[in-house]
Amino acid sequence: MSYFQPIPELGEGPLVAEGTNFKVVTETVSRVTERKAPRGWWICFLIALSLVGVFTMTIGYLFWKGIGIWGNNSPCYWGWDITNFVWWVGIGHAGTLISAVLFIFRQRWRTAINRFAEAMTIFAVICALIFPGIHVGRPWVAYYMFPLPNQMGVWPNFKSPLLWDLFAVGTYFTVSLMFWLVGLIPDFATLRDRSTGRIRQMVYGVLALGWRGSNRHWKNYERAYLILAGLSTPLVLSVHSVVSFDFATSVEPGWHTTIFPPYFVAGAVFSGFAMVMTLLLIARTVFKMNHLVQMRHLELMNKIMLVTGSLVGYAYAMEFFTAWYSGSEYEMYVFINRATGPYAWAYWTMISCNVICPQLFWSRKLRRSIPVMFVVSILINIGMWFERFVIIATSLHRDYIPSSWGYFSPTVFDICTYLGTFGIFFTLFLLFIRWAPMIAIAEVKGILPEADPHYDPHGSHGAHGSREGSHGYALEPQGAE
Amino acid sequence: MSTTNQMSGGSNVGRRIYRVDPSSALASAWKVAGGIGLLGAVGAAFGFVRAHDRFAYSYLFAFFAVLTLALGFLFFVLIQHLTGAGWSVTVRRLAEFFMSGLVIFPVLAIPLLLSTASLFPWMSHRGAEHGESAPAEEHHSALDFLVRDANAAPPAPPSQPAVPAMRHGGGSKAFAEELEQAEHAEHAEILHGKLGYLNRGFFYTRAVAYFAFWCWISITLFRLSTEQDKTKKLENTVKAQRLAPVATILFGLTLTFAAIDWTMALEPLWYSTMYGVYAFAAGVVAMFALLTLVALAFRRSGLMGNAITAEHFHDLGKLTFGFLIFWAYITFSQFFLVWYSNIPEELTYYHRRWPVHGGAWKVISLALFFVKFVIPFLVLLSRNVKRHTVLLAIGAAIIVVMHVVEMYWVVMPNYASGAFAPNWLDLACLLTVGGLYLAVVLRNMTAHSLIPVGDPRLERAEHFQNA
């Protein structure tokens, strides 16, 4: 089995800290849901809940008055509403990438972070879905989003990317939710078995769907998991590609460019990882999970951010180059205006946060520094929000006719709506942390030495002790520095 | 895991020599490939002298089709080092052989670089990057191809048949000419703005830079890997892993701009931000398909022993499948966004490849979807197929063949009137480039071990399972 041992010279190492065993994993993760919530949790929860209140009031007023209360104007018909929508959908992508794509690529280090990221996906998509629902300002015709004929018998335009959005994001939400719930089954069973109260036992019992951990259960479970991973993988690409079509199918300079689909996907994964990182660093510290979520995991996440950040940088560069190369004065103007016009501040915020900042992660030292990665992850989140804002606002605010040029300034209601979605997101997230196992217990156990059928705790090399095929250590390969 | 492996303690290393027998047919295959290449070169040389314009396009097609494949192999090797992959060690050397063939491309590029005047009419604009406008006469001669564009280009949406009819059919002849000239002048002006990038000096400088990088990285990675066969030093792996990140970035940039320079600039007024990604996707999916085929052939020959197992084919099949979807995604997105927005200056690319000239290109366009994507997609979907070799080979072979067809489809609609007119020179050039490239690859195969026997992760790859 020696060849499955990590090779430290190549930067490989075990995925869980020394001395971590089944019991430690179960205890560490389950006790968060069993003990009384710490005071910090309550403080955060109440803040988040207040923001939900702010959101509810803002939306109520929005429905009463109409979207005139936002900063949207002519020619900026879209403003923060769609910016927030795209941003939140993007945040969700990391979850699917980690749970599905990394699963398919056998990246077993994902087990430490996948549950967390998947939950984030679902909550982020919920926040995102609010915006298409409200951005038309007429909640009583929200059903226009669906492929249903209206009272005049007119169907929505099937050629409209906005309709495809509903299909794409709706499918994404459904599959992500199923994936998350299926993954949770064995862990809910663990919580059920540890429950002391009757109600708790019943609730987790229902959620665990009668899981007994039998061989047959595991077999079905793993097959279902693989199938859902396979279904989710194309969704990682399709959702944000369809979102990018909202812009790219138009003939608006700055929006209409062929690289948009993969560029949006890369950006989505980028921002999603940043958000996972921000939340994970907090949770890891608060709930003392350093032995499960190790520096190795964080470092790998930083590498993914470096890769995706560079891909986004490539897309910015290609857009700029092609705008010049196209020879079209409108294309050129939009990009020069982005970099030097009234929104230059937003553009350069975007460039510094998204392209320059992640380059810090070339350094191994900075990549392994918690304060640095925390700050960078937040900056990336800001940068990715600005990316969407820059795309939307700069392309719209100076249209073909200079006499109709304008400028978008957010109102207090724009800000409150955006903050309000944070409230929704964090409320859901804090509830999740409190009531569901935030790390995939069963999956982390799968990468422990004990999970090996030939695991020998006493180190004796008997008949079974040195059998090969042992995956006693799941390896984490690591690229060069 | 097989019983044999368990009994032998799981180590094949040091006991087996994965080498081509010097007396076998494979050992002299490089001579055959080289011979075919030279034979093709004779034909191509004839074309170079007698039908230079046609030769230029045929050669570009052959060159680009093989180059994208070779660069795909470079990408494979880079990504294995970048991720520190263990499963792929036993197939990595095969990819390295194909990567090592990149060194011959500077030589193969010579006929291409001598033919640029036939391919890129903007080449004749010397000194224009300093902003001085060339004399009108010269403009005219150099930009004649634009007239051709103007004839082929205006898209004719079925809803508005009147516009092109008036332009080319109806109306007075004088009016049509006037219109054409106006369009011509406008195009010339746009092109003039691009001469800062599209000019002879910069074009050649870039070409030299691309080749310098590709040769350097492929020689370095190949040397690090083959050296390790004897020394078994970990350092070589460490060095390769250190090189990988920066090299991957340079790879992406060189591939993008090479694709822009050598194929997108054939139609200098057309542009697409996706083009570099498209060239990448096409090269990588074809590479995975070819790598699968080569690995299958070697396993069948028995030279690989048990080093390549069903597990490896399963993974290669998955990657081929995955990148096939990626290729389809990129290709479709590019097409879709252009088609949907329906802007004349962007439509020209697909217009050339769809309704004009009796629809021969349309058939190929459709084949790219149905034959390159749908059929292999259905074939490769199943797990059993990926692990059992006959259907896997068929799926992979379709992709490789369609890659060549696709590159033909990329280059040839720009030649002359854009009609679909295959020529014997296409084949001669393909044999030249493919034969000489393969000669280098096969020569290296006979000189080195077929798997990286000194790689620290080799045993892991030998025993790897798709768990």
Side-chain angles (χ1 to χ4, degrees):
Chain A
M1 73 186 269
S2 59
Y3 46 84
F4 280 107
Q5 302 278 11
I7 307 170
E9 293 89 336
L10 299 181
E12 296 176 346
L15 281 178
V16 283
E18 284 285 309
T20 309
N21 57 30
F22 282 4
K23 187 174 160 56
V24 172
V25 176
T26 312
E27 280 292 328
T28 315
V29 182
S30 309
R31 73 173 172 222
V32 177
T33 69
E34 288 160 354
R35 295 193 180 160
K36 263 180 82 173
R39 185 182 298 170
W41 184 88
W42 277 109
I43 295 171
C44 294
F45 186 70
L46 289 175
I47 294 174
L49 210 57
S50 322
L51 287 175
V52 175
V54 171
F55 179 78
T56 320
M57 286 192 295
T58 318
I59 294 300
Y61 189 60
L62 175 81
F63 289 164
W64 183 254
K65 288 288 274 192
I67 53 167
I69 63 167
W70 286 343
N72 300 22
N73 56 48
S74 166
C76 297
Y77 296 101
W78 274 354
W80 279 32
D81 43 0
I82 300 302
T83 307
N84 296 339
F85 164 70
V86 180
W87 188 74
W88 277 117
V89 177
I91 296 288
H93 272 58
T96 327
L97 187 95
I98 291 168
S99 54
V101 178
L102 294 187
F103 176 73
I104 283 178
F105 278 100
R106 293 192 298 268
Q107 299 294 308
R108 302 194 77 183
W109 60 273
R110 70 183 258 290
T111 53
I113 49 171
N114 72 328
R115 172 69 43 74
F116 212 80
E118 287 166 31
M120 203 191 67
T121 297
I122 291 160
F123 306 143
V125 175
I126 290 174
C127 292
L129 277 172
I130 292 169
F131 286 98
I134 61 171
H135 89 294
V136 286
R138 293 177 173 77
W140 56 94
V141 291
Y143 73 94
Y144 274 22
M145 291 194 295
F146 298 91
L148 295 169
N150 68 7
Q151 71 276 22
M152 307 288 281
V154 177
W155 287 74
N157 184 1
F158 284 99
K159 288 182 190 167
S160 162
L162 299 177
L163 182 66
W164 312 335
D165 250 4
L166 187 84
F167 294 132
V169 183
T171 314
Y172 182 57
F173 180 71
T174 316
V175 174
S176 300
L177 187 65
M178 273 163 56
F179 200 13
W180 186 59
L181 286 174
V182 167
L184 272 164
I185 291 173
D187 292 358
F188 276 141
T190 306
L191 291 187
R192 173 198 63 196
D193 297 344
R194 290 169 57 95
S195 305
T196 44
R198 183 82 188 128
I199 296 172
R200 198 179 155 90
Q201 203 172 35
M202 275 174 62
V203 171
Y204 283 122
V206 168
L207 289 170
L209 301 179
W211 179 265
R212 288 289 174 275
S214 71
N215 188 22
R216 178 179 300 206
H217 283 179
W218 276 110
K219 201 173 169 213
N220 288 337
Y221 165 81
E222 296 207 335
R223 181 165 296 176
Y225 200 83
L226 183 63
I227 291 172
L228 284 169
L231 286 175
S232 303
T233 303
L235 289 178
V236 176
L237 292 178
S238 72
V239 183
H240 233 58
S241 297
V242 171
V243 169
S244 80
F245 289 166
D246 291 350
F247 306 101
T249 52
S250 70
V251 290
E252 190 77 23
W255 284 8
H256 175 67
T257 169
T258 47
I259 206 170
F260 254 35
Y263 153 43
F264 266 51
V265 172
V269 173
F270 182 48
S271 66
F273 263 85
M275 187 61 113
V276 175
M277 181 61 94
T278 314
L279 298 177
L280 193 63
L281 285 176
I282 299 171
R284 177 180 183 265
T285 316
V286 171
F287 297 107
K288 299 184 181 55
M289 292 185 168
N290 298 11
H291 51 302
L292 297 183
V293 182
Q294 296 192 77
M295 184 52 80
R296 177 171 296 280
H297 302 108
L298 303 177
E299 199 183 343
L300 283 160
M301 289 175 67
N302 287 337
K303 283 184 181 176
I304 292 187
M305 280 190 249
L306 176 56
V307 170
T308 46
S310 306
L311 286 175
V312 168
Y314 169 88
Y316 295 157
M318 284 316 292
E319 275 192 314
F320 229 101
F321 170 75
T322 311
W324 172 80
Y325 180 89
S326 74
S328 154
E329 55 182 312
Y330 304 107
E331 289 282 339
M332 285 190 222
Y333 179 75
V334 162
F335 282 90
I336 290 168
N337 184 44
R338 265 185 199 177
T340 60
Y343 283 111
W345 59 274
Y347 182 81
W348 292 107
T349 309
M350 163 188 110
I351 294 283
S352 356
C353 292
N354 290 350
V355 184
I356 299 170
C357 236
Q359 305 306 325
L360 292 177
F361 290 147
W362 282 99
S363 147
R364 183 180 156 85
K365 201 172 156 219
L366 296 177
R367 203 160 65 212
R368 295 173 68 92
S369 150
I370 302 244
V372 169
M373 63 177 103
F374 188 69
V375 172
V376 169
S377 75
I378 289 175
L379 287 178
I380 292 173
N381 277 313
I382 295 171
M384 283 308 295
W385 189 88
F386 270 103
E387 177 195 300
R388 279 64 179 255
F389 179 71
V390 164
I391 291 172
I392 291 163
T394 62
S395 306
L396 285 177
H397 84 119
R398 287 189 172 175
D399 214 333
Y400 294 97
I401 310 167
S403 63
S404 68
W405 285 0
Y407 191 83
F408 178 90
S409 308
T411 64
V412 65
F413 298 104
D414 279 303
I415 296 166
C416 287
T417 317
Y418 183 44
L419 283 180
T421 51
F422 272 101
I424 295 172
F425 180 78
F426 279 104
T427 305
L428 292 169
F429 204 83
L430 288 161
L431 287 173
F432 153 74
I433 285 185
R434 185 76 189 86
W435 298 108
M438 71 167 115
I439 287 181
I441 303 174
E443 289 199 47
V444 171
K445 284 179 181 172
I447 58 166
L448 291 181
E450 283 173 282
D452 176 12
H454 308 295
Y455 170 70
D456 183 353
H458 308 298
S460 66
H461 291 274
H464 293 285
S466 58
R467 279 279 291 278
E468 62 208 81
S470 148
H471 295 262
Y473 293 90
L475 292 175
E476 187 28 54
Q478 186 177 332
E481 304 312 327
Chain B
M1 193 148 311
S2 75
T3 335
T4 355
N5 276 346
Q6 281 187 15
M7 301 214 324
S8 66
S11 172
N12 282 333
V13 178
R15 286 187 295 101
R16 216 195 132 85
I17 300 165
Y18 299 92
R19 273 187 180 270
V20 176
D21 180 1
S23 60
S24 69
L26 187 60
S28 47
W30 70 273
K31 293 176 192 155
V32 179
I36 293 173
L38 291 177
L39 209 65
V42 173
F46 181 76
F48 185 85
V49 179
R50 297 297 297 273
H52 190 74
D53 279 4
R54 177 72 208 195
F55 162 82
Y57 281 88
S58 299
Y59 195 83
L60 175 62
F61 140 69
F63 181 84
F64 201 65
V66 182
L67 177 70
T68 40
L69 262 174
L71 288 175
F73 284 102
L74 170 59
F75 174 74
F76 180 80
V77 176
L78 281 175
I79 206 80
Q80 303 315 313
H81 289 308
L82 193 65
T83 55
W87 72 274
S88 59
V89 174
T90 50
V91 291
R92 201 188 68 220
R93 180 57 56 79
L94 294 178
E96 283 167 351
F97 287 133
F98 281 87
M99 172 192 77
S100 72
L102 275 171
V103 293
I104 200 174
F105 275 91
V107 180
L108 291 174
I110 293 171
L112 185 68
L113 298 179
L114 291 175
S115 312
T116 47
S118 309
L119 294 165
F120 310 111
W122 42 263
M123 276 282 172
S124 47
H125 282 253
R126 256 183 268 194
E129 61 267 34
H130 304 300
E132 352 158 334
S133 68
E137 299 301 309
E138 196 188 309
H139 252 309
H140 200 78
S141 56
L143 296 171
D144 270 349
F145 73 101
L146 289 173
V147 181
R148 189 184 79 217
D149 265 21
N151 285 332
S159 53
Q160 314 156 324
V163 178
M166 188 183 73
R167 203 175 270 187
H168 297 299
S172 72
K173 201 171 172 227
F175 175 71
E177 267 169 21
E178 203 175 297
L179 201 69
E180 203 163 77
Q181 266 173 7
E183 223 167 58
H184 184 183
E186 200 178 312
H187 286 175
E189 196 190 315
I190 294 172
L191 189 63
H192 202 74
K194 300 186 179 199
L195 292 179
Y197 182 81
L198 297 178
N199 66 69
R200 188 189 298 267
F202 196 21
F203 177 88
Y204 285 111
T205 314
R206 287 195 302 268
V208 169
Y210 306 149
F211 287 122
F213 169 68
W214 294 334
C215 289
W216 169 73
I217 190 68
S218 58
I219 290 171
T220 310
L221 289 174
F222 193 69
R223 187 179 49 76
L224 283 173
S225 179
T226 48
E227 220 176 62
Q228 202 179 33
D229 288 353
K230 286 162 229 131
T231 63
K232 319 249 183 238
K233 277 188 185 156
L234 277 175
E235 287 153 46
N236 289 37
T237 307
V238 174
K239 274 186 203 159
Q241 289 191 170
R242 286 202 175 180
L243 215 51
V246 176
T248 309
I249 291 177
L250 290 175
F251 164 81
L253 291 175
T254 48
L255 173 64
T256 303
F257 286 99
I260 292 174
D261 285 1
W262 298 339
T263 54
M264 196 167 98
L266 286 171
E267 194 183 339
L269 295 184
W270 186 76
Y271 54 89
S272 166
T273 40
M274 184 85 108
Y275 203 77
V277 188
Y278 167 65
F280 165 78
V284 172
V285 66
M287 174 277 291
F288 273 118
L290 186 59
L291 183 58
T292 309
L293 285 178
V294 173
L296 281 169
F298 270 96
R299 194 164 95 124
R300 192 158 253 232
S301 73
L303 284 169
M304 289 302 208
N306 292 326
I308 303 184
T309 64
E311 306 294 339
H312 296 101
F313 288 111
H314 190 183
D315 265 12
L316 286 173
K318 282 188 276 188
L319 285 165
T320 312
F321 182 73
F323 273 92
L324 181 68
I325 297 173
F326 181 69
W327 168 84
Y329 161 67
I330 295 296
T331 314
F332 173 76
S333 299
Q334 178 171 279
F335 165 75
F336 173 76
L337 290 175
V338 169
W339 169 80
Y340 193 103
S341 302
N342 211 11
I343 304 175
E345 64 253 37
E346 284 184 6
L347 271 182
T348 53
Y349 185 87
Y350 291 102
H351 189 257
R352 278 168 194 281
R353 288 162 181 79
W354 197 262
V356 286
H357 298 301
W361 290 118
K362 182 177 172 181
V363 173
I364 297 183
S365 300
L366 288 170
L368 286 179
F369 177 67
F370 288 105
V371 185
K372 186 169 178 184
F373 175 63
V374 176
I375 296 176
F377 176 88
L378 295 174
V379 169
L380 295 176
L381 191 56
S382 143
R383 176 180 188 273
N384 285 340
V385 167
K386 288 187 280 250
R387 298 176 72 90
H388 298 105
T389 51
V390 180
L391 277 171
L392 176 64
I394 293 174
I398 293 175
I399 295 174
V400 175
V401 171
M402 287 310 290
H403 171 71
V404 177
V405 173
E406 186 181 6
M407 290 305 134
Y408 194 77
W409 174 89
V410 164
V411 173
M412 282 303 166
N414 293 299
Y415 172 65
S417 67
F420 177 72
N423 189 301
W424 62 272
L425 266 174
D426 305 338
L427 190 65
C429 291
L430 192 60
L431 291 179
T432 313
V433 179
L436 295 177
Y437 166 69
L438 274 182
V440 177
V441 172
L442 292 168
R443 180 83 181 83
N444 280 335
M445 274 186 192
T446 54
H448 298 281
S449 169
L450 295 172
I451 64 170
V453 286
D455 194 287
R457 297 190 179 102
L458 176 63
E459 262 192 282
R460 213 183 282 163
E462 285 178 324
H463 297 102
F464 135 79
Q465 283 181 300
N466 271 293

PDB file of all heavy atoms in Angstrom, chain B residues 6-23:
ATOM      1  N   GLN B   6      -1.571  -8.742  -6.858  1.00  0.00           N
ATOM      2  CA  GLN B   6      -1.510  -8.879  -5.408  1.00  0.00           C
ATOM      3  C   GLN B   6      -0.366  -9.797  -5.026  1.00  0.00           C
ATOM      4  O   GLN B   6       0.353  -9.552  -4.066  1.00  0.00           O
ATOM      5  CB  GLN B   6      -2.815  -9.468  -4.894  1.00  0.00           C
ATOM      6  CG  GLN B   6      -3.893  -8.416  -4.832  1.00  0.00           C
ATOM      7  CD  GLN B   6      -5.139  -8.922  -4.179  1.00  0.00           C
ATOM      8  OE1 GLN B   6      -5.114  -9.967  -3.535  1.00  0.00           O
ATOM      9  NE2 GLN B   6      -6.214  -8.194  -4.325  1.00  0.00           N
ATOM     10  N   MET B   7      -0.193 -10.871  -5.790  1.00  0.00           N
ATOM     11  CA  MET B   7       0.829 -11.831  -5.412  1.00  0.00           C
ATOM     12  C   MET B   7       2.220 -11.259  -5.647  1.00  0.00           C
ATOM     13  O   MET B   7       3.147 -11.524  -4.916  1.00  0.00           O
ATOM     14  CB  MET B   7       0.644 -13.104  -6.219  1.00  0.00           C
ATOM     15  CG  MET B   7      -0.729 -13.656  -5.960  1.00  0.00           C
ATOM     16  SD  MET B   7      -0.901 -15.417  -5.962  1.00  0.00           S
ATOM     17  CE  MET B   7       0.166 -16.015  -7.164  1.00  0.00           C
ATOM     18  N   SER B   8       2.318 -10.420  -6.666  1.00  0.00           N
ATOM     19  CA  SER B   8       3.645  -9.907  -6.955  1.00  0.00           C
ATOM     20  C   SER B   8       3.970  -8.697  -6.087  1.00  0.00           C
ATOM     21  O   SER B   8       4.967  -8.032  -6.307  1.00  0.00           O
ATOM     22  CB  SER B   8       3.735  -9.514  -8.426  1.00  0.00           C
ATOM     23  OG  SER B   8       2.876  -8.418  -8.638  1.00  0.00           O
ATOM     24  N   GLY B   9       3.096  -8.406  -5.161  1.00  0.00           N
ATOM     25  CA  GLY B   9       3.372  -7.267  -4.301  1.00  0.00           C
ATOM     26  C   GLY B   9       3.069  -5.958  -4.993  1.00  0.00           C
ATOM     27  O   GLY B   9       3.417  -4.902  -4.509  1.00  0.00           O
ATOM     28  N   GLY B  10       2.445  -6.033  -6.131  1.00  0.00           N
ATOM     29  CA  GLY B  10       1.943  -4.820  -6.767  1.00  0.00           C
ATOM     30  C   GLY B  10       2.991  -4.017  -7.485  1.00  0.00           C
ATOM     31  O   GLY B  10       2.741  -2.907  -7.920  1.00  0.00           O
ATOM     32  N   SER B  11       4.168  -4.529  -7.647  1.00  0.00           N
ATOM     33  CA  SER B  11       5.174  -3.697  -8.285  1.00  0.00           C
ATOM     34  C   SER B  11       5.580  -4.253  -9.636  1.00  0.00           C
ATOM     35  O   SER B  11       6.031  -5.384  -9.753  1.00  0.00           O
ATOM     36  CB  SER B  11       6.385  -3.588  -7.379  1.00  0.00           C
ATOM     37  OG  SER B  11       7.404  -2.945  -8.077  1.00  0.00           O
ATOM     38  N   ASN B  12       5.378  -3.445 -10.638  1.00  0.00           N
ATOM     39  CA  ASN B  12       5.854  -3.828 -11.956  1.00  0.00           C
ATOM     40  C   ASN B  12       7.168  -3.145 -12.246  1.00  0.00           C
ATOM     41  O   ASN B  12       7.839  -3.426 -13.226  1.00  0.00           O
ATOM     42  CB  ASN B  12       4.839  -3.406 -13.026  1.00  0.00           C
ATOM     43  CG  ASN B  12       3.685  -4.369 -13.075  1.00  0.00           C
ATOM     44  OD1 ASN B  12       3.836  -5.527 -12.730  1.00  0.00           O
ATOM     45  ND2 ASN B  12       2.534  -3.867 -13.489  1.00  0.00           N
ATOM     46  N   VAL B  13       7.479  -2.188 -11.418  1.00  0.00           N
ATOM     47  CA  VAL B  13       8.594  -1.314 -11.737  1.00  0.00           C
ATOM     48  C   VAL B  13       9.897  -2.097 -11.693  1.00  0.00           C
ATOM     49  O   VAL B  13      10.141  -2.895 -10.796  1.00  0.00           O
ATOM     50  CB  VAL B  13       8.650  -0.152 -10.738  1.00  0.00           C
ATOM     51  CG1 VAL B  13       9.836   0.731 -11.053  1.00  0.00           C
ATOM     52  CG2 VAL B  13       7.378   0.630 -10.821  1.00  0.00           C
ATOM     53  N   GLY B  14      10.722  -1.835 -12.662  1.00  0.00           N
ATOM     54  CA  GLY B  14      12.053  -2.418 -12.641  1.00  0.00           C
ATOM     55  C   GLY B  14      12.087  -3.825 -13.192  1.00  0.00           C
ATOM     56  O   GLY B  14      13.153  -4.343 -13.501  1.00  0.00           O
ATOM     57  N   ARG B  15      10.935  -4.436 -13.303  1.00  0.00           N
ATOM     58  CA  ARG B  15      10.960  -5.793 -13.824  1.00  0.00           C
ATOM     59  C   ARG B  15      10.627  -5.827 -15.291  1.00  0.00           C
ATOM     60  O   ARG B  15      11.016  -6.713 -16.020  1.00  0.00           O
ATOM     61  CB  ARG B  15       9.993  -6.676 -13.050  1.00  0.00           C
ATOM     62  CG  ARG B  15      10.519  -7.017 -11.668  1.00  0.00           C
ATOM     63  CD  ARG B  15       9.658  -8.021 -10.979  1.00  0.00           C
ATOM     64  NE  ARG B  15       8.322  -7.498 -10.702  1.00  0.00           N
ATOM     65  CZ  ARG B  15       7.265  -7.762 -11.417  1.00  0.00           C
ATOM     66  NH1 ARG B  15       7.354  -8.544 -12.466  1.00  0.00           N
ATOM     67  NH2 ARG B  15       6.103  -7.255 -11.087  1.00  0.00           N
ATOM     68  N   ARG B  16       9.896  -4.858 -15.716  1.00  0.00           N
ATOM     69  CA  ARG B  16       9.443  -4.877 -17.088  1.00  0.00           C
ATOM     70  C   ARG B  16      10.050  -3.707 -17.823  1.00  0.00           C
ATOM     71  O   ARG B  16      10.194  -2.628 -17.274  1.00  0.00           O
ATOM     72  CB  ARG B  16       7.931  -4.726 -17.095  1.00  0.00           C
ATOM     73  CG  ARG B  16       7.276  -5.531 -18.174  1.00  0.00           C
ATOM     74  CD  ARG B  16       5.863  -5.073 -18.376  1.00  0.00           C
ATOM     75  NE  ARG B  16       5.687  -4.906 -19.810  1.00  0.00           N
ATOM     76  CZ  ARG B  16       5.364  -5.892 -20.615  1.00  0.00           C
ATOM     77  NH1 ARG B  16       5.127  -7.078 -20.143  1.00  0.00           N
ATOM     78  NH2 ARG B  16       5.264  -5.700 -21.909  1.00  0.00           N
ATOM     79  N   ILE B  17      10.394  -3.928 -19.040  1.00  0.00           N
ATOM     80  CA  ILE B  17      10.921  -2.812 -19.825  1.00  0.00           C
ATOM     81  C   ILE B  17       9.885  -2.467 -20.881  1.00  0.00           C
ATOM     82  O   ILE B  17       9.539  -3.285 -21.721  1.00  0.00           O
ATOM     83  CB  ILE B  17      12.246  -3.194 -20.494  1.00  0.00           C
ATOM     84  CG1 ILE B  17      13.260  -3.564 -19.416  1.00  0.00           C
ATOM     85  CG2 ILE B  17      12.767  -2.042 -21.327  1.00  0.00           C
ATOM     86  CD1 ILE B  17      14.457  -4.277 -19.947  1.00  0.00           C
ATOM     87  N   TYR B  18       9.399  -1.266 -20.793  1.00  0.00           N
ATOM     88  CA  TYR B  18       8.367  -0.832 -21.731  1.00  0.00           C
ATOM     89  C   TYR B  18       9.035  -0.138 -22.908  1.00  0.00           C
ATOM     90  O   TYR B  18       9.074   1.072 -22.988  1.00  0.00           O
ATOM     91  CB  TYR B  18       7.399   0.110 -21.034  1.00  0.00           C
ATOM     92  CG  TYR B  18       6.681  -0.505 -19.883  1.00  0.00           C
ATOM     93  CD1 TYR B  18       7.189  -0.406 -18.598  1.00  0.00           C
ATOM     94  CD2 TYR B  18       5.490  -1.193 -20.066  1.00  0.00           C
ATOM     95  CE1 TYR B  18       6.530  -0.973 -17.527  1.00  0.00           C
ATOM     96  CE2 TYR B  18       4.828  -1.756 -19.004  1.00  0.00           C
ATOM     97  CZ  TYR B  18       5.351  -1.649 -17.733  1.00  0.00           C
ATOM     98  OH  TYR B  18       4.693  -2.214 -16.685  1.00  0.00           O
ATOM     99  N   ARG B  19       9.569  -0.947 -23.782  1.00  0.00           N
ATOM    100  CA  ARG B  19      10.268  -0.331 -24.913  1.00  0.00           C
ATOM    101  C   ARG B  19       9.850  -0.982 -26.213  1.00  0.00           C
ATOM    102  O   ARG B  19       9.423  -2.131 -26.222  1.00  0.00           O
ATOM    103  CB  ARG B  19      11.771  -0.487 -24.738  1.00  0.00           C
ATOM    104  CG  ARG B  19      12.379   0.630 -23.928  1.00  0.00           C
ATOM    105  CD  ARG B  19      13.877   0.519 -23.941  1.00  0.00           C
ATOM    106  NE  ARG B  19      14.449   1.602 -23.162  1.00  0.00           N
ATOM    107  CZ  ARG B  19      14.775   2.785 -23.661  1.00  0.00           C
ATOM    108  NH1 ARG B  19      14.593   3.035 -24.940  1.00  0.00           N
ATOM    109  NH2 ARG B  19      15.295   3.723 -22.900  1.00  0.00           N
ATOM    110  N   VAL B  20       9.996  -0.230 -27.260  1.00  0.00           N
ATOM    111  CA  VAL B  20       9.704  -0.789 -28.575  1.00  0.00           C
ATOM    112  C   VAL B  20      10.876  -1.663 -28.970  1.00  0.00           C
ATOM    113  O   VAL B  20      12.034  -1.236 -28.908  1.00  0.00           O
ATOM    114  CB  VAL B  20       9.504   0.349 -29.594  1.00  0.00           C
ATOM    115  CG1 VAL B  20       9.296  -0.224 -30.976  1.00  0.00           C
ATOM    116  CG2 VAL B  20       8.328   1.203 -29.182  1.00  0.00           C
ATOM    117  N   ASP B  21      10.574  -2.891 -29.340  1.00  0.00           N
ATOM    118  CA  ASP B  21      11.619  -3.818 -29.777  1.00  0.00           C
ATOM    119  C   ASP B  21      12.284  -3.275 -31.040  1.00  0.00           C
ATOM    120  O   ASP B  21      11.615  -3.020 -32.038  1.00  0.00           O
ATOM    121  CB  ASP B  21      10.953  -5.181 -30.051  1.00  0.00           C
ATOM    122  CG  ASP B  21      11.958  -6.217 -30.506  1.00  0.00           C
ATOM    123  OD1 ASP B  21      13.161  -5.858 -30.590  1.00  0.00           O
ATOM    124  OD2 ASP B  21      11.539  -7.344 -30.776  1.00  0.00           O
ATOM    125  N   PRO B  22      13.607  -3.077 -31.025  1.00  0.00           N
ATOM    126  CA  PRO B  22      14.271  -2.440 -32.182  1.00  0.00           C
ATOM    127  C   PRO B  22      14.097  -3.214 -33.483  1.00  0.00           C
ATOM    128  O   PRO B  22      14.259  -2.644 -34.568  1.00  0.00           O
ATOM    129  CB  PRO B  22      15.752  -2.416 -31.773  1.00  0.00           C
ATOM    130  CG  PRO B  22      15.778  -2.700 -30.324  1.00  0.00           C
ATOM    131  CD  PRO B  22      14.533  -3.419 -29.953  1.00  0.00           C
ATOM    132  N   SER B  23      13.762  -4.503 -33.360  1.00  0.00           N
ATOM    133  CA  SER B  23      13.610  -5.259 -34.597  1.00  0.00           C
ATOM    134  C   SER B  23      12.160  -5.284 -35.088  1.00  0.00           C
ATOM    135  O   SER B  23      11.870  -5.816 -36.148  1.00  0.00           O
ATOM    136  CB  SER B  23      14.101  -6.695 -34.378  1.00  0.00           C
ATOM    137  OG  SER B  23      13.327  -7.289 -33.363  1.00  0.00           O
TER     138      SER B  23
END
